[in-house]
Amino acid sequence: MAYPARQQALDGFGVDEFELPEGLEASAPPEERGRAGRDDVRLLVGRFAEGGGPLVAHHAFRELPRLLQPGDVLVVNTSATLPAAVDGRVLGTGEQVVVHFSTRRSARRWVVELRTPDGRGSTRQRVGTGGPLRVRLVGGTVLTQVEPLPGGAGRLWTADFPVPDPLAQLARYGRAIRYGYTDADRPLAAYQTVFARSLAEVEGPAAAGSAEMPSAARPFTAELVAQLVSRGVQIVPITLHTGVASVESHEPPYPEWFEVPAATARAVGSARRAGSRVVAVGTTAVRALESAVGTDGTLGAASGWTELVVTPERGVRVVDGLLTGLHEPRASHLLMLEAIAGRPLLDLSYAEALRERYLWHEFGDLHLILAR
């Protein structure tokens, strides 16, 4: 049941400087925490009152259909999550590493991150990022670092992965990337959304998937999708193959491959002309949509590599709302949220999320921002 939240944020609170208290990191999916299913999470809704002031309210995620209006368009990312973490040893030293396969650039060339096992089944940022290194992966393939990725702060490298079918290799020897706040490895299915396309359907020069789940869509179920469609909400696809996040450094996103189909561009254009809202499911959907906006401000079909970083100064052109998870302190994605929500509403929303002990990360609760 929804109830209105306070209209004033905590005194002196700023979304760019908060600290995440212990216990607010979702270490397991809701269906493993005694909840009824993956859609049994909370939903914090931030919007503007009729007088123009910021207002937040608390809902169950299952209430989403009634929070949207007939004619609204939900834009979802269809990229599937890859089993992108593979164990290996550095040739010459024997150092144990875990290779995170982030972004496929061509048939053999990938952007990768080498990380250090933390002894608890996860990894930590590797100390001493010098290279280039050669890594013998589980299964015997030798991966060779080529050069550091510009802007990657030394942790990201392009690398040669000399196998004829790299996706099959990852499927055989890889597992889903997970970080220290989660409590166990899980089957890849736990990291797939209801919208994910089979990798067999993916085409193009960067045919791959996402290194990390487009997690804002994780709570959706087939039943909820049917309710949204019955409500008159249109659901349209984009693709953006998301790379690895920097959980320690919060660097801006680097180039990622995206596609906005012509049918999606038409649906978005029609909704805007009708005065309906365009709500992106996840920051990846925002990046794809805003990358396909022409100089005249209209959305068109587009595909390729995007380097766009959405900031308050740049603003957004076609997105009226965003459904997203809760982001870590100082995460670069908070700039995108501020571009959509504005700083007062964002500060209020995060202050309320902390006060009401919402859960963070990919298995946590959701945040719906409605700019109008």
Side-chain angles (χ1 to χ4, degrees), residues 130-366:
L133 302 175
R134 301 176 71 224
V135 178
R136 185 175 300 281
L137 302 171
V138 173
T141 301
V142 175
L143 176 137
T144 303
Q145 289 183 322
V146 177
E147 59 183 359
L149 190 73
R155 72 182 184 94
L156 297 170
W157 283 66
T158 58
D160 184 53
F161 186 36
V163 295
D165 189 343
L167 299 186
Q169 196 82 349
L170 293 181
R172 182 173 182 182
Y173 297 110
R175 61 189 180 277
I177 289 174
R178 75 174 181 94
Y179 294 108
Y181 53 78
T182 57
D183 58 11
D185 283 338
R186 289 179 170 83
L188 192 62
Y191 292 87
Q192 300 293 7
T193 75
V194 70
F195 304 113
R197 295 170 61 196
S198 163
L199 292 176
E201 301 176 61
V202 178
E203 299 176 353
S210 287
E212 296 179 6
M213 173 178 53
S215 56
R218 188 186 192 275
F220 284 83
T221 63
E223 292 77 13
L224 188 70
V225 169
Q227 292 174 29
L228 286 162
V229 173
S230 296
R231 170 77 166 156
V233 175
Q234 190 172 3
I235 300 175
V236 298
I238 59 89
T239 299
L240 186 136
H241 297 318
T242 183
V244 294
S246 171
V247 293
E248 297 90 3
S249 305
H250 302 308
E251 302 141 8
Y254 58 88
E256 295 168 317
W257 192 88
F258 80 100
E259 179 182 11
V260 175
T264 292
R266 289 194 296 269
V268 169
S270 296
R272 293 185 64 79
R273 287 189 295 272
S276 297
R277 295 174 298 195
V278 177
V279 179
V281 178
T283 58
T284 60
V286 176
R287 195 181 199 200
L289 288 171
E290 296 291 327
S291 296
V293 175
T295 55
D296 62 353
T298 60
L299 182 71
S303 64
W305 296 95
T306 178
E307 299 185 34
L308 177 65
V309 178
V310 177
T311 64
E313 293 74 25
R314 189 266 185 193
V316 291
R317 316 273 173 85
V318 299
V319 174
D320 303 302
L322 170 63
L323 179 68
T324 184
L326 292 159
H327 298 276
E328 298 93 336
R330 293 166 291 281
S332 60
H333 285 315
L334 290 171
L335 294 174
M336 179 186 290
L337 272 62
E338 185 178 347
I340 298 169
R343 186 58 182 267
L345 178 56
L346 192 60
D347 280 350
L348 176 62
S349 296
Y350 270 70
E352 194 66 19
L354 289 166
R355 184 169 7 218
E356 294 296 329
R357 298 191 65 80
Y358 276 64
L359 296 182
W360 260 247
H361 302 308
E362 66 266 29
F363 298 136
D365 296 314
L366 272 290

Side-chain angles (χ1 to χ4, degrees), residues 88-91 93-100 113-118 123-135 145 153-157 247-249:
R89 287 186 178 272
V90 176
L91 291 180
T93 68
E95 176 193 355
Q96 283 188 296
V97 293
V98 178
V99 178
H100 285 182
E113 179 183 14
L114 270 59
R115 294 180 64 87
T116 298
D118 67 358
T123 63
R124 60 178 180 269
Q125 195 166 29
R126 183 171 171 268
V127 177
T129 55
L133 302 175
R134 301 176 71 224
V135 178
Q145 289 183 322
R155 72 182 184 94
L156 297 170
W157 283 66
V247 293
E248 297 90 3
S249 305

